[in-house]
Amino acid sequence: MSFLQVRNLSVRLKKGPPLLRRVSLDVAAGEVRGLVGESGAGKSMIGKAVLGILPPSIEVTEGEILLDGVDLLRLPLAQRRRRIGALCALIPQDPLTALNPSHRIGPQITDRLVDILGWTRADADRRAGELLAEVQIPDPDRVLRSYPHELSGGMRQRILIASAFAAEPKLIVADEPTTALDVTVQKQILKLIAGMQARHGTALLFVTHDLGVVSKVCQRLSVLYAGMVVEDTSVADFFAAPRHAYSAALLAATPKYTDPSAGLIPVPEAVISAVQAEVAAFDRSVAHG
Amino acid sequence: MPFLRILLVRLLTTAITLAGVAVIVFFVIRVVPGNPIAMMLPPGATEDDIARLSALYGLDKPLLTQFGIWVAGVMQGDFGTSITTRQPVLDLVLGRLPATLELSIMALVMAMILGGAAALTGTRFRGGRTEGAIDVANGMALSVPDFLWGLVLILLFGVLMPVFHISGRVTPSLELPFTTNFYLFESLIRLRFDLWADLVAHMFMPALALAIPLAAIIGQLLKQSLKETMNLDYVTLARTKGYGETRVILREALRNAALPTLTLVGVQFTFLIGGTVIIERLFSYEGLGNMAIDAVINRDLPLIQGIVILFAVIFTGVNLIVDLLYTVLNPRLRHG
């Protein structure tokens, strides 16, 4: 049984249009699954649903999110938070806004260990130091005493990665963790996440719009369009021969940096209307029960 | 050091502000109708009596000369002599200042507790009926001025359910061992909790009347600011760590949300101190405000000047404290 099983998950804006349409996906222990799609396809929404941080304006209409066999959606709020806090972690998108400006770095890494998992303060502090060293931050002791505004964006993303791994979670959701970063540090951060994932054996749900990233980091892949999974496959199969026409078009649209003279290839109109027809057919079938 | 720089700049601007206040108060109270001599003499006093008394208080000299004499005195710490009580103005106002300070600070503490509780409860149960009820209560608290709250409280807790004293600062028959006029503070230091309880029973209603409108402002602004903060990324990240909503509000959001509220509380606190004038009168509380009204009624010019200058010092002092607190609470300003 996979560690994370999402079954027929549908969410929508309260009294509004659906944002996820019966999404199903599995992440096995230690496995890395990429979630790709255009902006608004719902890839971040899945990660947020798993971590229980959907905005209050969005409601889950059906489905199950089984974390280690327990359906999170059936747990009362406090218990759900605790379970997610103990088993999962988030690497957020924007390191500049994801650290609390009025707390020092140290407590932001350690307070989960102390408050939720019952570590002693000394153990947690030692652990924080080790983690910062592992993400290659020089002079960890000084950084632990710093405030976020004293550190660069790349440093802060390293800290957030260290913090995500602090409690040895079974599953980490990485929500476009390199999008907000300078291109020069994107590659380092990606390498760092991949390395940490391999060393710690953590399952990873990797939300990204960058297929290049997927080919480097992920083993399995879900392609989303309008909140629907149009393809669920292994990364090797996907790059060899994508099954769905939309996936193929998406792959073809990936810019090739090795050949700057090649223009950008948009996803063809015909593919878009075909996949939109699929979504419409799905909505009709749901409406007719 | 920004602390020292802020302090120096502020001391300079404070000096200019106080000089301006001194000029305005001195000339305005001499231009408006009514004069102290007329208040002191019985009806039908002769021109001669008036001239003699005026000369005695130096009121016969040209205005500018009078101003020069007063300023020269103030520079040496002499604020003149009260016309009605014939005591030094400085002794009078400093004697009353502690009562007003204790009342204002008590009111401020009450306002922060009430407003803070309203904001936190409203944020915790945002979007529900509890938040709606808090908004309605806030609106009511805001739309009624402090002196009306004073009357309402007197009716409720002084007449219908007499649990608090409605007048004075302390029960007159009590033996007071105090050496300063900070009664409330000193009663704690001396561990005289019986006296402390009596002082609080007197202070409770005037302080609450002053606190209610400020509490509403704090509640509204802090709730607004908290709700915005609750949508920020670091708060969302804290939720994934397993914390309950209450702890997320208190530990992640409160401190950051409190900053904008703090500036406003500073400004509003000076209004609250202004409000003590009427509230002290309403509750016959022996403070500066009550004394100010008597001074104005008696046209006690030196005393009015002294009180106004002291209020100006308090106002600028409060603003200075708020600015310094702001740098303490916001680590980003500390190294700037």
Side-chain angles (χ1 to χ4, degrees), chain A residues 76-235:
Chain A
L77 179 72
Q79 250 176 293
R80 188 195 317 167
R81 286 246 177 112
R82 240 157 218 284
R83 189 167 179 81
I84 291 168
L87 294 174
C88 306
L90 169 69
I91 300 176
Q93 178 169 9
D94 186 354
L96 299 184
T97 56
L99 288 165
N100 191 324
S102 56
H103 295 317
R104 291 175 199 276
I105 298 296
Q108 301 202 45
I109 299 176
T110 55
D111 54 7
R112 174 206 319 235
L113 302 176
V114 176
D115 300 337
I116 305 287
L117 303 172
W119 292 33
T120 64
R121 178 60 56 196
D123 283 349
D125 286 346
R126 194 168 332 111
R127 171 85 173 146
E130 289 165 12
L131 281 162
L132 289 197
E134 193 180 345
V135 295
Q136 292 145 36
I137 285 178
D139 200 355
D141 289 337
R142 187 188 58 85
V143 171
L144 286 174
R145 281 193 311 271
S146 307
Y147 285 98
H149 70 272
E150 298 166 331
L151 306 167
S152 71
M155 281 274 251
R156 289 192 230 180
Q157 191 59 297
R158 283 168 193 273
I159 288 163
L160 287 161
I161 292 165
S163 174
F165 280 93
E168 292 293 354
K170 296 281 185 293
L171 172 75
I172 289 179
V173 177
D175 187 5
E176 307 211 29
T178 58
T179 311
L181 295 175
D182 200 277
V183 195
T184 50
V185 293
Q186 282 187 0
K187 214 178 218 170
Q188 300 170 23
I189 293 294
L190 207 59
K191 233 185 204 163
L192 185 71
I193 296 176
M196 294 280 284
Q197 185 274 331
R199 266 197 304 282
H200 294 259
T202 318
L204 197 56
L205 194 59
F206 204 106
V207 179
T208 180
H209 55 255
D210 187 344
L211 283 172
V213 169
V214 171
S215 69
K216 289 193 190 75
V217 184
C218 305
Q219 286 127 37
R220 293 196 66 82
L221 173 67
S222 297
V223 182
L224 282 134
Y225 184 85
M228 239 168 84
V229 177
V230 296
E231 181 153 3
D232 178 347
T233 176
S234 83
V235 167

Side-chain angles (χ1 to χ4, degrees), chain B residues 1 37 217 225 317:
Chain B
M1 270 305 285
I37 307 301
I217 294 173
S225 168

Side-chain angles (χ1 to χ4, degrees), chain A residues 51 53 81-82 84-85 88 90 92 94 97-104 107-109 111-112 115-116 147 149-150 160 163, chain B residues 124 126 231-237 239-245 247-248 251-253 255-256 329-335:
Chain A
L51 294 175
I53 48 172
R81 286 246 177 112
R82 240 157 218 284
I84 291 168
C88 306
L90 169 69
D94 186 354
T97 56
L99 288 165
N100 191 324
S102 56
H103 295 317
R104 291 175 199 276
Q108 301 202 45
I109 299 176
D111 54 7
R112 174 206 319 235
D115 300 337
I116 305 287
Y147 285 98
H149 70 272
E150 298 166 331
L160 287 161
S163 174
Chain B
R124 178 67 186 80
R126 58 192 176 283
N231 293 326
L232 297 181
D233 286 354
Y234 58 82
V235 176
T236 306
L237 185 65
R239 289 200 185 101
T240 70
K241 293 182 179 178
Y243 294 122
E245 197 67 8
R247 145 95 200 212
V248 169
R251 194 169 147 79
E252 300 296 330
R255 189 157 160 186
N256 296 299
L329 277 179
N330 188 348
R332 277 168 292 190
L333 287 181
R334 236 174 277 163
H335 312 279

Side-chain angles (χ1 to χ4, degrees), chain B residues 162-175:
Chain B
V163 278
F164 297 111
H165 295 283
I166 58 167
S167 99
R169 189 180 178 199
V170 67
T171 306
S173 57
L174 285 176
E175 198 75 44

